Amino acid sequence: MSAILIAVEGPQAGDWLAALRDSAKGREVLAWSAGADDLSRVSFACVWLPPRGLLARIPNLKAVINLGAGADHLLADPDLPDVPIARAAHADLTMRVTEYVVLHVLMHHRRQRLYDGQQRERSWRVHDQPAASEVAVGVMGLGVIGAHAAVALAGLGFKVAGWSRSPKTISGVETFHGPAGLDAFLARTEILVCLLPRTRDTEGILNLALLRKLKRDGAAGGAFLINAGRGALQVDAEILAALDEGTLAGTTLDVFQNEPLRVDSPLWSHPKVTITPHNAGDISPRVFAPHVIAQIERFERGLPLDNRIDRTKGY
Ligand code: NDP
Ligand code: OXD
């Protein structure tokens, strides 16, 4: 049986190796290390943020499994071999990101940052609280995760819309698509949730001009941004400008241009910014590893990979 190479950057590397070895039914699973030279036994690579050029060094590579949802890092490798690439799309990951989105939409909706500040001052003051049904949430990206998050938010009673590249029909969610649908989507949105992939078309999309198109005079009392898509979608300086001029009343950012976020970034200390360390959704290696092995077995039987990346679309 052909071997699997695993190359994972980050704290989950050991968990991925153990989980894939446990699921591999005796198949050889090699952990990549900088000194590894004989990669000729490898047919499949399971990767998260692998070093540039690594995949090109595997002479008999048949397919790549990206162990995260977004494959932008892989696609940016100029030496990426021309083999099929699948990405992680699984209920475990979808639910984790949905939890994150619901948590932060509710945090802004229920003004939790305001009440946290009051608690520090031992101040007992109640503020007006609109119902969810009065507040318009908009989800950019209606893929596996965005569509699920949109439906969950609609289930809480919010007025939910979504924006995608191609037209969609989702029960309980108003849908917009394409560049032509963007302004109308923004004009009705008070809490904007971004779950877009990073592509040539989406880089820098969360800029001041776009944020100024959001609805500020709605029941939420201002416009809010939650970005759990990719850091390259947001222009940090313009987000800060939007906060300072009142275009945004608050933001939650999980992803950044450069991760980890630099210690001297002004985002850390801005009173209207909530920061999390790209943890909206880390898929569980134990849960996903059996699916990775099943994908590989199906592929060896001649079936196509599920959740294959379309290189022309860039996601
Ligand atoms: P999908 O590929 O399933 O969905 C992507 C969505 O974005 C689709 O609806 C697609 O439209 C839409 N889209 C892409 N390009 C454009 C565009 N130019 N204009 C409008 N819409 C566009 O991805 P997932 O839902 O699985 O994941 C989305 C992203 O979330 C990932 O790429 C990743 O960057 C991020 N992510 C972040 C995590 C975190 O921990 N912060 C965890 C998991 C994911 P269409 O449906 O028409 O193709
Ligand atoms: C991602 C992930 O794409 O964690 O960010 O899956």
Side-chain angles (χ1 to χ4, degrees), residues 269-295:
S269 52
H270 197 289
K272 295 179 182 167
V273 178
T274 298
I275 288 177
T276 51
H278 196 148
N279 76 335
D282 272 337
I283 196 164
S284 156
R286 290 270 152 220
V287 171
F288 196 55
H291 293 267
V292 171
I293 302 301
Q295 274 267 47

PDB file of all heavy atoms in Angstrom, residues 269-295:
ATOM      1  N   SER A 269      -5.523  46.570  21.461  1.00  0.00           N
ATOM      2  CA  SER A 269      -5.982  47.413  22.577  1.00  0.00           C
ATOM      3  C   SER A 269      -7.175  48.286  22.213  1.00  0.00           C
ATOM      4  O   SER A 269      -7.645  49.071  23.032  1.00  0.00           O
ATOM      5  CB  SER A 269      -4.834  48.294  23.066  1.00  0.00           C
ATOM      6  OG  SER A 269      -4.291  48.978  21.949  1.00  0.00           O
ATOM      7  N   HIS A 270      -7.670  48.163  20.983  1.00  0.00           N
ATOM      8  CA  HIS A 270      -8.805  49.018  20.614  1.00  0.00           C
ATOM      9  C   HIS A 270     -10.046  48.587  21.401  1.00  0.00           C
ATOM     10  O   HIS A 270     -10.382  47.399  21.428  1.00  0.00           O
ATOM     11  CB  HIS A 270      -9.069  48.916  19.107  1.00  0.00           C
ATOM     12  CG  HIS A 270      -9.913  50.044  18.612  1.00  0.00           C
ATOM     13  ND1 HIS A 270     -11.252  50.144  18.924  1.00  0.00           N
ATOM     14  CD2 HIS A 270      -9.613  51.146  17.875  1.00  0.00           C
ATOM     15  CE1 HIS A 270     -11.746  51.246  18.362  1.00  0.00           C
ATOM     16  NE2 HIS A 270     -10.768  51.867  17.728  1.00  0.00           N
ATOM     17  N   PRO A 271     -10.736  49.547  22.041  1.00  0.00           N
ATOM     18  CA  PRO A 271     -11.866  49.162  22.904  1.00  0.00           C
ATOM     19  C   PRO A 271     -13.041  48.516  22.166  1.00  0.00           C
ATOM     20  O   PRO A 271     -13.880  47.861  22.796  1.00  0.00           O
ATOM     21  CB  PRO A 271     -12.297  50.492  23.551  1.00  0.00           C
ATOM     22  CG  PRO A 271     -11.704  51.563  22.683  1.00  0.00           C
ATOM     23  CD  PRO A 271     -10.475  50.995  22.056  1.00  0.00           C
ATOM     24  N   LYS A 272     -13.090  48.690  20.843  1.00  0.00           N
ATOM     25  CA  LYS A 272     -14.235  48.119  20.112  1.00  0.00           C
ATOM     26  C   LYS A 272     -13.866  46.843  19.356  1.00  0.00           C
ATOM     27  O   LYS A 272     -14.623  46.377  18.511  1.00  0.00           O
ATOM     28  CB  LYS A 272     -14.787  49.158  19.126  1.00  0.00           C
ATOM     29  CG  LYS A 272     -15.380  50.376  19.814  1.00  0.00           C
ATOM     30  CD  LYS A 272     -15.869  51.354  18.772  1.00  0.00           C
ATOM     31  CE  LYS A 272     -16.435  52.617  19.422  1.00  0.00           C
ATOM     32  NZ  LYS A 272     -16.632  53.679  18.417  1.00  0.00           N
ATOM     33  N   VAL A 273     -12.675  46.314  19.628  1.00  0.00           N
ATOM     34  CA  VAL A 273     -12.221  45.126  18.887  1.00  0.00           C
ATOM     35  C   VAL A 273     -12.147  43.911  19.811  1.00  0.00           C
ATOM     36  O   VAL A 273     -11.583  43.992  20.899  1.00  0.00           O
ATOM     37  CB  VAL A 273     -10.824  45.371  18.255  1.00  0.00           C
ATOM     38  CG1 VAL A 273     -10.334  44.124  17.527  1.00  0.00           C
ATOM     39  CG2 VAL A 273     -10.858  46.564  17.308  1.00  0.00           C
ATOM     40  N   THR A 274     -12.709  42.819  19.358  1.00  0.00           N
ATOM     41  CA  THR A 274     -12.567  41.529  20.056  1.00  0.00           C
ATOM     42  C   THR A 274     -11.703  40.631  19.175  1.00  0.00           C
ATOM     43  O   THR A 274     -12.002  40.456  17.988  1.00  0.00           O
ATOM     44  CB  THR A 274     -13.951  40.890  20.280  1.00  0.00           C
ATOM     45  OG1 THR A 274     -14.714  41.761  21.097  1.00  0.00           O
ATOM     46  CG2 THR A 274     -13.831  39.524  20.962  1.00  0.00           C
ATOM     47  N   ILE A 275     -10.660  40.089  19.775  1.00  0.00           N
ATOM     48  CA  ILE A 275      -9.703  39.286  19.002  1.00  0.00           C
ATOM     49  C   ILE A 275      -9.692  37.848  19.504  1.00  0.00           C
ATOM     50  O   ILE A 275      -9.655  37.602  20.713  1.00  0.00           O
ATOM     51  CB  ILE A 275      -8.288  39.898  19.142  1.00  0.00           C
ATOM     52  CG1 ILE A 275      -8.239  41.206  18.351  1.00  0.00           C
ATOM     53  CG2 ILE A 275      -7.194  38.931  18.677  1.00  0.00           C
ATOM     54  CD1 ILE A 275      -6.937  41.944  18.462  1.00  0.00           C
ATOM     55  N   THR A 276      -9.697  36.908  18.562  1.00  0.00           N
ATOM     56  CA  THR A 276      -9.467  35.498  18.904  1.00  0.00           C
ATOM     57  C   THR A 276      -8.367  34.977  17.968  1.00  0.00           C
ATOM     58  O   THR A 276      -8.182  35.495  16.863  1.00  0.00           O
ATOM     59  CB  THR A 276     -10.746  34.647  18.756  1.00  0.00           C
ATOM     60  OG1 THR A 276     -11.310  34.886  17.453  1.00  0.00           O
ATOM     61  CG2 THR A 276     -11.778  34.992  19.822  1.00  0.00           C
ATOM     62  N   PRO A 277      -7.608  33.962  18.418  1.00  0.00           N
ATOM     63  CA  PRO A 277      -6.410  33.538  17.679  1.00  0.00           C
ATOM     64  C   PRO A 277      -6.677  32.483  16.611  1.00  0.00           C
ATOM     65  O   PRO A 277      -6.177  31.357  16.710  1.00  0.00           O
ATOM     66  CB  PRO A 277      -5.519  32.992  18.797  1.00  0.00           C
ATOM     67  CG  PRO A 277      -6.486  32.431  19.785  1.00  0.00           C
ATOM     68  CD  PRO A 277      -7.716  33.281  19.728  1.00  0.00           C
ATOM     69  N   HIS A 278      -7.436  32.836  15.585  1.00  0.00           N
ATOM     70  CA  HIS A 278      -7.777  31.899  14.499  1.00  0.00           C
ATOM     71  C   HIS A 278      -8.227  30.552  15.086  1.00  0.00           C
ATOM     72  O   HIS A 278      -7.669  29.499  14.763  1.00  0.00           O
ATOM     73  CB  HIS A 278      -6.597  31.700  13.550  1.00  0.00           C
ATOM     74  CG  HIS A 278      -7.012  31.076  12.237  1.00  0.00           C
ATOM     75  ND1 HIS A 278      -6.395  31.331  11.048  1.00  0.00           N
ATOM     76  CD2 HIS A 278      -7.993  30.179  11.940  1.00  0.00           C
ATOM     77  CE1 HIS A 278      -6.948  30.636  10.076  1.00  0.00           C
ATOM     78  NE2 HIS A 278      -7.937  29.918  10.608  1.00  0.00           N
ATOM     79  N   ASN A 279      -9.220  30.649  15.970  1.00  0.00           N
ATOM     80  CA  ASN A 279      -9.699  29.410  16.592  1.00  0.00           C
ATOM     81  C   ASN A 279     -11.205  29.224  16.398  1.00  0.00           C
ATOM     82  O   ASN A 279     -11.831  28.461  17.127  1.00  0.00           O
ATOM     83  CB  ASN A 279      -9.365  29.382  18.091  1.00  0.00           C
ATOM     84  CG  ASN A 279     -10.288  30.283  18.897  1.00  0.00           C
ATOM     85  OD1 ASN A 279     -10.836  31.250  18.357  1.00  0.00           O
ATOM     86  ND2 ASN A 279     -10.470  29.989  20.164  1.00  0.00           N
ATOM     87  N   ALA A 280     -11.778  29.938  15.402  1.00  0.00           N
ATOM     88  CA  ALA A 280     -13.228  29.789  15.192  1.00  0.00           C
ATOM     89  C   ALA A 280     -13.562  28.323  14.969  1.00  0.00           C
ATOM     90  O   ALA A 280     -14.564  27.814  15.471  1.00  0.00           O
ATOM     91  CB  ALA A 280     -13.671  30.630  14.004  1.00  0.00           C
ATOM     92  N   GLY A 281     -12.726  27.640  14.238  1.00  0.00           N
ATOM     93  CA  GLY A 281     -13.000  26.220  14.015  1.00  0.00           C
ATOM     94  C   GLY A 281     -11.738  25.465  13.679  1.00  0.00           C
ATOM     95  O   GLY A 281     -11.185  25.642  12.601  1.00  0.00           O
ATOM     96  N   ASP A 282     -11.276  24.680  14.617  1.00  0.00           N
ATOM     97  CA  ASP A 282     -10.206  23.731  14.310  1.00  0.00           C
ATOM     98  C   ASP A 282     -10.874  22.371  14.246  1.00  0.00           C
ATOM     99  O   ASP A 282     -11.464  21.923  15.234  1.00  0.00           O
ATOM    100  CB  ASP A 282      -9.164  23.693  15.441  1.00  0.00           C
ATOM    101  CG  ASP A 282      -8.099  24.743  15.244  1.00  0.00           C
ATOM    102  OD1 ASP A 282      -7.904  25.167  14.089  1.00  0.00           O
ATOM    103  OD2 ASP A 282      -7.475  25.133  16.243  1.00  0.00           O
ATOM    104  N   ILE A 283     -10.767  21.717  13.107  1.00  0.00           N
ATOM    105  CA  ILE A 283     -11.408  20.405  13.014  1.00  0.00           C
ATOM    106  C   ILE A 283     -10.671  19.431  13.934  1.00  0.00           C
ATOM    107  O   ILE A 283      -9.462  19.520  14.119  1.00  0.00           O
ATOM    108  CB  ILE A 283     -11.420  19.922  11.545  1.00  0.00           C
ATOM    109  CG1 ILE A 283     -12.410  18.775  11.394  1.00  0.00           C
ATOM    110  CG2 ILE A 283     -10.038  19.539  11.052  1.00  0.00           C
ATOM    111  CD1 ILE A 283     -12.788  18.495   9.964  1.00  0.00           C
ATOM    112  N   SER A 284     -11.433  18.493  14.524  1.00  0.00           N
ATOM    113  CA  SER A 284     -10.816  17.525  15.430  1.00  0.00           C
ATOM    114  C   SER A 284     -10.109  16.433  14.623  1.00  0.00           C
ATOM    115  O   SER A 284     -10.729  15.748  13.799  1.00  0.00           O
ATOM    116  CB  SER A 284     -11.917  16.893  16.300  1.00  0.00           C
ATOM    117  OG  SER A 284     -11.482  15.632  16.744  1.00  0.00           O
ATOM    118  N   PRO A 285      -8.791  16.222  14.833  1.00  0.00           N
ATOM    119  CA  PRO A 285      -8.101  15.149  14.107  1.00  0.00           C
ATOM    120  C   PRO A 285      -8.773  13.790  14.316  1.00  0.00           C
ATOM    121  O   PRO A 285      -8.903  13.015  13.366  1.00  0.00           O
ATOM    122  CB  PRO A 285      -6.686  15.174  14.695  1.00  0.00           C
ATOM    123  CG  PRO A 285      -6.493  16.588  15.157  1.00  0.00           C
ATOM    124  CD  PRO A 285      -7.849  17.017  15.651  1.00  0.00           C
ATOM    125  N   ARG A 286      -9.200  13.487  15.532  1.00  0.00           N
ATOM    126  CA  ARG A 286      -9.825  12.172  15.813  1.00  0.00           C
ATOM    127  C   ARG A 286     -11.087  11.975  14.976  1.00  0.00           C
ATOM    128  O   ARG A 286     -11.386  10.877  14.515  1.00  0.00           O
ATOM    129  CB  ARG A 286     -10.230  12.057  17.290  1.00  0.00           C
ATOM    130  CG  ARG A 286      -9.083  11.958  18.203  1.00  0.00           C
ATOM    131  CD  ARG A 286      -8.666  10.503  18.446  1.00  0.00           C
ATOM    132  NE  ARG A 286      -7.250  10.477  18.759  1.00  0.00           N
ATOM    133  CZ  ARG A 286      -6.373   9.588  18.344  1.00  0.00           C
ATOM    134  NH1 ARG A 286      -6.741   8.587  17.608  1.00  0.00           N
ATOM    135  NH2 ARG A 286      -5.104   9.667  18.659  1.00  0.00           N
ATOM    136  N   VAL A 287     -11.842  13.072  14.817  1.00  0.00           N
ATOM    137  CA  VAL A 287     -13.102  12.963  14.061  1.00  0.00           C
ATOM    138  C   VAL A 287     -12.824  12.898  12.557  1.00  0.00           C
ATOM    139  O   VAL A 287     -13.464  12.142  11.830  1.00  0.00           O
ATOM    140  CB  VAL A 287     -14.020  14.174  14.395  1.00  0.00           C
ATOM    141  CG1 VAL A 287     -15.229  14.215  13.483  1.00  0.00           C
ATOM    142  CG2 VAL A 287     -14.443  14.118  15.854  1.00  0.00           C
ATOM    143  N   PHE A 288     -11.837  13.684  12.102  1.00  0.00           N
ATOM    144  CA  PHE A 288     -11.673  13.816  10.651  1.00  0.00           C
ATOM    145  C   PHE A 288     -10.776  12.735  10.051  1.00  0.00           C
ATOM    146  O   PHE A 288     -10.916  12.395   8.871  1.00  0.00           O
ATOM    147  CB  PHE A 288     -11.142  15.221  10.328  1.00  0.00           C
ATOM    148  CG  PHE A 288     -11.283  15.607   8.879  1.00  0.00           C
ATOM    149  CD1 PHE A 288     -12.523  15.559   8.240  1.00  0.00           C
ATOM    150  CD2 PHE A 288     -10.190  16.026   8.133  1.00  0.00           C
ATOM    151  CE1 PHE A 288     -12.663  15.908   6.902  1.00  0.00           C
ATOM    152  CE2 PHE A 288     -10.312  16.374   6.801  1.00  0.00           C
ATOM    153  CZ  PHE A 288     -11.557  16.316   6.189  1.00  0.00           C
ATOM    154  N   ALA A 289      -9.853  12.187  10.852  1.00  0.00           N
ATOM    155  CA  ALA A 289      -8.884  11.230  10.284  1.00  0.00           C
ATOM    156  C   ALA A 289      -9.570  10.050   9.561  1.00  0.00           C
ATOM    157  O   ALA A 289      -9.147   9.674   8.457  1.00  0.00           O
ATOM    158  CB  ALA A 289      -7.932  10.734  11.370  1.00  0.00           C
ATOM    159  N   PRO A 290     -10.610   9.429  10.131  1.00  0.00           N
ATOM    160  CA  PRO A 290     -11.233   8.310   9.404  1.00  0.00           C
ATOM    161  C   PRO A 290     -11.791   8.739   8.036  1.00  0.00           C
ATOM    162  O   PRO A 290     -11.766   7.959   7.083  1.00  0.00           O
ATOM    163  CB  PRO A 290     -12.374   7.860  10.334  1.00  0.00           C
ATOM    164  CG  PRO A 290     -11.968   8.358  11.690  1.00  0.00           C
ATOM    165  CD  PRO A 290     -11.204   9.627  11.457  1.00  0.00           C
ATOM    166  N   HIS A 291     -12.232   9.994   7.936  1.00  0.00           N
ATOM    167  CA  HIS A 291     -12.753  10.471   6.647  1.00  0.00           C
ATOM    168  C   HIS A 291     -11.615  10.663   5.646  1.00  0.00           C
ATOM    169  O   HIS A 291     -11.788  10.455   4.449  1.00  0.00           O
ATOM    170  CB  HIS A 291     -13.513  11.792   6.841  1.00  0.00           C
ATOM    171  CG  HIS A 291     -14.760  11.596   7.629  1.00  0.00           C
ATOM    172  ND1 HIS A 291     -15.984  11.365   7.055  1.00  0.00           N
ATOM    173  CD2 HIS A 291     -14.949  11.550   8.959  1.00  0.00           C
ATOM    174  CE1 HIS A 291     -16.873  11.187   7.996  1.00  0.00           C
ATOM    175  NE2 HIS A 291     -16.284  11.300   9.165  1.00  0.00           N
ATOM    176  N   VAL A 292     -10.457  11.071   6.152  1.00  0.00           N
ATOM    177  CA  VAL A 292      -9.305  11.244   5.266  1.00  0.00           C
ATOM    178  C   VAL A 292      -8.927   9.890   4.672  1.00  0.00           C
ATOM    179  O   VAL A 292      -8.721   9.754   3.450  1.00  0.00           O
ATOM    180  CB  VAL A 292      -8.114  11.839   6.058  1.00  0.00           C
ATOM    181  CG1 VAL A 292      -6.843  11.827   5.214  1.00  0.00           C
ATOM    182  CG2 VAL A 292      -8.436  13.256   6.521  1.00  0.00           C
ATOM    183  N   ILE A 293      -8.871   8.883   5.527  1.00  0.00           N
ATOM    184  CA  ILE A 293      -8.487   7.552   5.030  1.00  0.00           C
ATOM    185  C   ILE A 293      -9.561   7.021   4.062  1.00  0.00           C
ATOM    186  O   ILE A 293      -9.237   6.461   3.006  1.00  0.00           O
ATOM    187  CB  ILE A 293      -8.261   6.581   6.218  1.00  0.00           C
ATOM    188  CG1 ILE A 293      -7.162   7.136   7.153  1.00  0.00           C
ATOM    189  CG2 ILE A 293      -7.910   5.172   5.718  1.00  0.00           C
ATOM    190  CD1 ILE A 293      -5.797   7.351   6.497  1.00  0.00           C
ATOM    191  N   ALA A 294     -10.817   7.252   4.395  1.00  0.00           N
ATOM    192  CA  ALA A 294     -11.890   6.796   3.492  1.00  0.00           C
ATOM    193  C   ALA A 294     -11.787   7.497   2.138  1.00  0.00           C
ATOM    194  O   ALA A 294     -11.991   6.879   1.082  1.00  0.00           O
ATOM    195  CB  ALA A 294     -13.256   7.051   4.141  1.00  0.00           C
ATOM    196  N   GLN A 295     -11.459   8.788   2.148  1.00  0.00           N
ATOM    197  CA  GLN A 295     -11.263   9.547   0.886  1.00  0.00           C
ATOM    198  C   GLN A 295     -10.169   8.887   0.043  1.00  0.00           C
ATOM    199  O   GLN A 295     -10.319   8.697  -1.159  1.00  0.00           O
ATOM    200  CB  GLN A 295     -10.730  10.957   1.197  1.00  0.00           C
ATOM    201  CG  GLN A 295     -11.719  12.010   1.503  1.00  0.00           C
ATOM    202  CD  GLN A 295     -12.085  12.780   0.232  1.00  0.00           C
ATOM    203  OE1 GLN A 295     -12.368  12.169  -0.814  1.00  0.00           O
ATOM    204  NE2 GLN A 295     -12.145  14.077   0.310  1.00  0.00           N
TER     205      GLN A 295
END
